[in-house]
Protein backbone atom coordinates (compact mmCIF):
# COMPACT_ATOMS: atom_id res chain seq x y z
CA UNK A 1 0.00 0.00 0.00
CA UNK A 2 1.37 3.41 -0.99
CA UNK A 3 1.01 6.23 1.56
CA UNK A 4 -0.03 9.63 0.27
CA UNK A 5 2.87 12.11 0.07
CA UNK A 6 3.40 14.22 3.20
CA UNK A 7 1.27 12.01 5.45
CA UNK A 8 4.03 9.84 6.81
CA UNK A 9 5.34 9.60 10.35
CA UNK A 10 7.64 12.52 9.83
CA UNK A 11 4.75 14.69 8.69
CA UNK A 12 2.69 13.86 11.79
CA UNK A 13 5.65 14.56 14.11
CA UNK A 14 6.21 17.88 12.39
CA UNK A 15 2.60 18.94 12.92
CA UNK A 16 2.83 17.99 16.62
CA UNK A 17 5.97 20.02 17.07
CA UNK A 18 4.43 23.02 15.35
CA UNK A 19 1.39 22.87 17.56
CA UNK A 20 3.61 22.58 20.64
CA UNK A 21 5.63 25.64 19.63
CA UNK A 22 2.44 27.62 19.03
CA UNK A 23 1.02 26.60 22.41
CA UNK A 24 4.27 27.50 24.19
CA UNK A 25 4.26 30.92 22.53
CA UNK A 26 0.69 31.58 23.65
CA UNK A 27 1.44 30.51 27.24
CA UNK A 28 4.58 32.66 27.32
CA UNK A 29 2.62 35.65 26.04
CA UNK A 30 -0.03 35.19 28.70
CA UNK A 31 2.64 35.00 31.41
CA UNK A 32 4.36 38.18 30.22
CA UNK A 33 1.04 40.02 29.90
CA UNK A 34 0.02 38.95 33.40
CA UNK A 35 3.33 40.19 34.81
CA UNK A 36 2.91 43.57 33.12
CA UNK A 37 -0.67 43.97 34.40
CA UNK A 38 0.43 43.03 37.94
CA UNK A 39 3.29 45.55 37.83
CA UNK A 40 0.97 48.32 36.64
CA UNK A 41 -1.56 47.57 39.35
CA UNK A 42 1.13 47.48 42.01
CA UNK A 43 2.58 50.89 41.08
CA UNK A 44 -0.49 52.73 39.85
CA UNK A 45 -1.33 56.03 41.59
CA UNK A 46 -5.07 56.08 42.05
CA UNK A 47 -7.19 59.14 42.85
CA UNK A 48 -7.79 57.67 46.30
CA UNK A 49 -4.07 57.38 47.06
CA UNK A 50 -3.47 60.95 45.90
CA UNK A 51 -6.36 62.17 48.04
CA UNK A 52 -5.07 60.30 51.08
CA UNK A 53 -1.58 61.74 50.67
CA UNK A 54 -2.99 65.25 50.23
CA UNK A 55 -5.12 64.89 53.35
CA UNK A 56 -2.08 63.76 55.33
CA UNK A 57 -0.14 66.87 54.25
CA UNK A 58 -3.08 69.13 55.15
CA UNK A 59 -3.36 67.53 58.58
CA UNK A 60 0.35 68.14 59.17
CA UNK A 61 0.07 71.80 58.15
CA UNK A 62 -2.93 72.31 60.44
CA UNK A 63 -1.11 70.68 63.36
CA UNK A 64 1.93 72.89 62.79
CA UNK A 65 -0.20 76.05 62.71
CA UNK A 66 -2.08 74.97 65.85
CA UNK A 67 1.18 74.32 67.70
CA UNK A 68 2.70 77.62 66.61
CA UNK A 69 -0.31 79.61 67.83
CA UNK A 70 -0.51 77.72 71.11
CA UNK A 71 3.17 78.32 71.84
CA UNK A 72 2.92 81.99 70.85
CA UNK A 73 -0.05 82.42 73.19
CA UNK A 74 1.82 80.79 76.07
CA UNK A 75 5.02 82.79 75.72
CA UNK A 76 3.30 86.12 75.09
CA UNK A 77 4.52 86.71 71.54
CA UNK A 78 1.00 86.42 70.13
CA UNK A 79 -0.37 89.12 72.46
CA UNK A 80 2.57 91.33 71.58
CA UNK A 81 1.88 90.82 67.85
CA UNK A 82 -1.80 91.72 68.27
CA UNK A 83 -0.74 94.92 70.06
CA UNK A 84 2.06 95.73 67.58
CA UNK A 85 0.11 98.73 66.37
CA UNK A 86 0.84 102.22 65.07
CA UNK A 87 -2.04 104.41 66.36
CA UNK A 88 -0.96 107.35 64.21
CA UNK A 89 -1.15 105.50 60.89
CA UNK A 90 -3.79 103.02 62.13
CA UNK A 91 -1.78 100.10 60.77
CA UNK A 92 0.40 97.41 62.25
CA UNK A 93 3.90 98.80 62.77
CA UNK A 94 5.71 99.19 59.41
CA UNK A 95 2.82 97.54 57.56
CA UNK A 96 0.45 98.78 54.89
CA UNK A 97 -3.27 99.27 55.43
CA UNK A 98 -3.66 95.71 54.07
CA UNK A 99 -1.12 94.27 56.52
CA UNK A 100 2.33 92.85 55.89
CA UNK A 101 2.36 91.95 52.21
CA UNK A 102 4.63 89.03 51.37
CA UNK A 103 6.61 89.40 54.59
CA UNK A 104 6.34 88.75 58.31
CA UNK A 105 5.96 91.26 61.15
CA UNK A 106 9.19 92.58 62.59
CA UNK A 107 8.59 91.04 66.01
CA UNK A 108 8.94 87.72 67.82
CA UNK A 109 5.72 86.32 66.36
CA UNK A 110 6.96 87.18 62.88
CA UNK A 111 10.21 85.35 63.65
CA UNK A 112 8.21 82.27 64.66
CA UNK A 113 6.21 82.38 61.43
CA UNK A 114 9.40 82.70 59.42
CA UNK A 115 11.10 79.79 61.20
CA UNK A 116 8.13 77.49 60.73
CA UNK A 117 6.98 78.44 57.24
CA UNK A 118 9.79 80.52 55.74
CA UNK A 119 11.80 77.65 54.23
CA UNK A 120 8.83 75.52 53.17
CA UNK A 121 6.59 75.73 50.13
CA UNK A 122 3.72 76.93 52.29
CA UNK A 123 2.12 80.39 52.15
CA UNK A 124 0.32 81.86 55.16
CA UNK A 125 -2.17 84.61 55.80
CA UNK A 126 -2.78 85.85 59.34
CA UNK A 127 -6.02 87.53 60.35
CA UNK A 128 -7.20 89.13 63.60
CA UNK A 129 -10.92 88.98 64.32
CA UNK A 130 -12.55 91.14 67.00
CA UNK A 131 -15.94 92.22 68.33
CA UNK A 132 -17.61 95.53 67.49
CA UNK A 133 -21.03 97.01 68.16
CA UNK A 134 -21.97 95.96 64.63
CA UNK A 135 -20.73 92.40 64.93
CA UNK A 136 -17.45 90.65 64.19
CA UNK A 137 -14.82 92.32 62.04
CA UNK A 138 -11.46 91.13 60.76
CA UNK A 139 -8.15 92.82 60.07
CA UNK A 140 -5.39 91.30 57.99
CA UNK A 141 -2.03 91.07 59.72
CA UNK A 142 -0.10 89.06 57.08
CA UNK A 143 -1.13 88.55 53.46
CA UNK A 144 0.73 86.23 51.07
CA UNK A 145 -1.95 85.62 48.47
CA UNK A 146 -5.30 83.97 47.80
CA UNK A 147 -5.58 80.63 49.64
CA UNK A 148 -6.04 77.50 47.53
CA UNK A 149 -8.94 75.08 47.83
CA UNK A 150 -6.74 72.86 50.04
CA UNK A 151 -5.91 75.60 52.55
CA UNK A 152 -6.09 74.76 56.25
CA UNK A 153 -6.64 77.08 59.19
CA UNK A 154 -5.91 77.27 62.90
CA UNK A 155 -6.99 79.88 65.42
CA UNK A 156 -6.24 81.10 68.92
CA UNK A 157 -8.29 83.48 71.07
CA UNK A 158 -6.89 86.16 73.37
CA UNK A 159 -8.61 88.35 75.94
CA UNK A 160 -7.35 91.93 75.86
CA UNK A 161 -7.63 93.87 79.10
CA UNK A 162 -7.99 97.59 79.66
CA UNK A 163 -4.52 97.75 81.19
CA UNK A 164 -2.86 96.12 78.18
CA UNK A 165 -0.46 98.40 76.34
CA UNK A 166 0.75 98.58 72.77
CA UNK A 167 4.03 96.86 71.92
CA UNK A 168 6.92 97.96 69.75
CA UNK A 169 7.67 101.66 69.18
CA UNK A 170 4.43 102.72 70.87
CA UNK A 171 4.84 100.64 74.00
CA UNK A 172 3.22 102.18 77.05
CA UNK A 173 0.06 103.46 75.39
CA UNK A 174 -2.92 101.72 76.96
CA UNK A 175 -6.18 100.53 75.43
CA UNK A 176 -8.66 101.72 78.04
CA UNK A 177 -9.42 105.05 76.42
CA UNK A 178 -7.44 107.20 78.87
CA UNK A 179 -4.34 107.34 76.66
CA UNK A 180 -3.80 108.65 73.10
CA UNK A 181 -4.90 105.29 71.69
CA UNK A 182 -8.59 106.13 72.23
CA UNK A 183 -10.40 105.46 68.91
CA UNK A 184 -7.03 104.73 67.30
CA UNK A 185 -6.71 101.01 68.04
CA UNK A 186 -8.35 98.73 65.46
CA UNK A 187 -10.47 96.89 68.06
CA UNK A 188 -12.86 98.95 70.20
CA UNK A 189 -13.54 98.65 73.92
CA UNK A 190 -16.63 96.42 73.97
CA UNK A 191 -17.04 96.57 77.74
CA UNK A 192 -16.35 100.15 78.88
CA UNK A 193 -17.69 99.47 82.36
CA UNK A 194 -15.53 96.37 82.88
CA UNK A 195 -11.88 95.45 82.83
CA UNK A 196 -12.08 93.41 79.63
CA UNK A 197 -11.29 95.44 76.52
CA UNK A 198 -12.05 92.96 73.74
CA UNK A 199 -11.61 89.32 72.75
CA UNK A 200 -9.61 88.77 69.58
CA UNK A 201 -9.09 85.67 67.51
CA UNK A 202 -5.84 85.20 65.59
CA UNK A 203 -6.30 82.89 62.62
CA UNK A 204 -3.58 81.38 60.41
CA UNK A 205 -4.57 80.17 56.95
CA UNK A 206 -1.88 78.02 55.31
CA UNK A 207 -1.66 76.34 51.92
CA UNK A 208 0.87 74.69 49.57
CA UNK A 209 2.28 76.82 46.74
Amino acid sequence: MVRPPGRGRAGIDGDDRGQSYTLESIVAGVVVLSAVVFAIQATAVTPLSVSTASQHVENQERAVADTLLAQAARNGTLRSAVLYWNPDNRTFVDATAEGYLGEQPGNAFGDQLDRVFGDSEVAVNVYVGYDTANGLKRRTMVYQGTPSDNAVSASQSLVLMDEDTLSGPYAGRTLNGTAPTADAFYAPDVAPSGSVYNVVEVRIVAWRI
Side-chain angles (χ1 to χ4, degrees):
M1 181 176 180
V2 179
R3 294 191 178 121
R7 300 296 297 173
R9 184 74 180 179
I12 294 174
D13 291 343
D15 288 344
D16 291 342
R17 284 196 297 271
Q19 291 174 358
S20 298
Y21 294 151
T22 302
L23 182 60
E24 290 175 359
S25 299
I26 293 173
V27 172
V30 170
V31 172
V32 172
L33 180 60
S34 299
V36 171
V37 171
F38 176 79
I40 292 175
Q41 291 178 339
T43 60
V45 178
T46 65
L48 180 60
S49 63
V50 172
S51 176
T52 301
S54 176
Q55 186 63 49
H56 179 67
V57 171
E58 291 171 18
N59 290 341
Q60 284 185 322
E61 292 169 356
R62 184 180 292 106
V64 168
D66 273 327
T67 301
L68 186 153
L69 285 174
Q71 291 179 343
R74 283 196 299 269
N75 62 27
T77 58
L78 190 62
R79 181 179 299 274
S80 180
V82 166
L83 298 172
Y84 197 61
W85 184 251
N86 181 336
D88 298 329
N89 295 339
R90 291 187 58 80
T91 64
F92 288 104
V93 175
D94 296 329
T96 70
E98 291 75 31
Y100 298 95
L101 304 180
E103 60 181 352
Q104 307 296 356
N107 51 36
F109 180 61
D111 292 341
Q112 286 178 286
L113 288 170
D114 192 55
R115 283 197 302 271
V116 173
F117 297 111
D119 295 331
S120 64
E121 296 180 352
V122 177
V124 294
N125 290 345
V126 182
Y127 307 100
V128 183
Y130 52 92
D131 287 322
T132 72
N134 298 318
L136 294 175
K137 286 191 176 181
R138 185 178 75 173
R139 176 170 288 273
T140 300
M141 180 186 292
V142 177
Y143 185 79
Q144 295 186 345
T146 302
S148 70
D149 293 338
N150 296 322
V152 299
S153 65
S155 61
Q156 178 72 45
S157 296
L158 290 175
V159 178
L160 299 182
M161 309 301 292
D162 286 340
E163 65 267 20
D164 282 335
T165 62
L166 299 182
S167 62
Y170 299 90
R173 297 196 186 185
T174 63
L175 305 179
N176 62 6
T178 63
T181 53
D183 300 324
F185 190 58
Y186 59 89
D189 187 351
V190 295
S193 60
S195 59
V196 173
Y197 183 86
N198 207 313
V199 178
V200 300
E201 180 190 67
V202 181
R203 179 175 296 274
I204 291 178
V205 178
W207 68 97
R208 285 274 165 184
I209 56 176

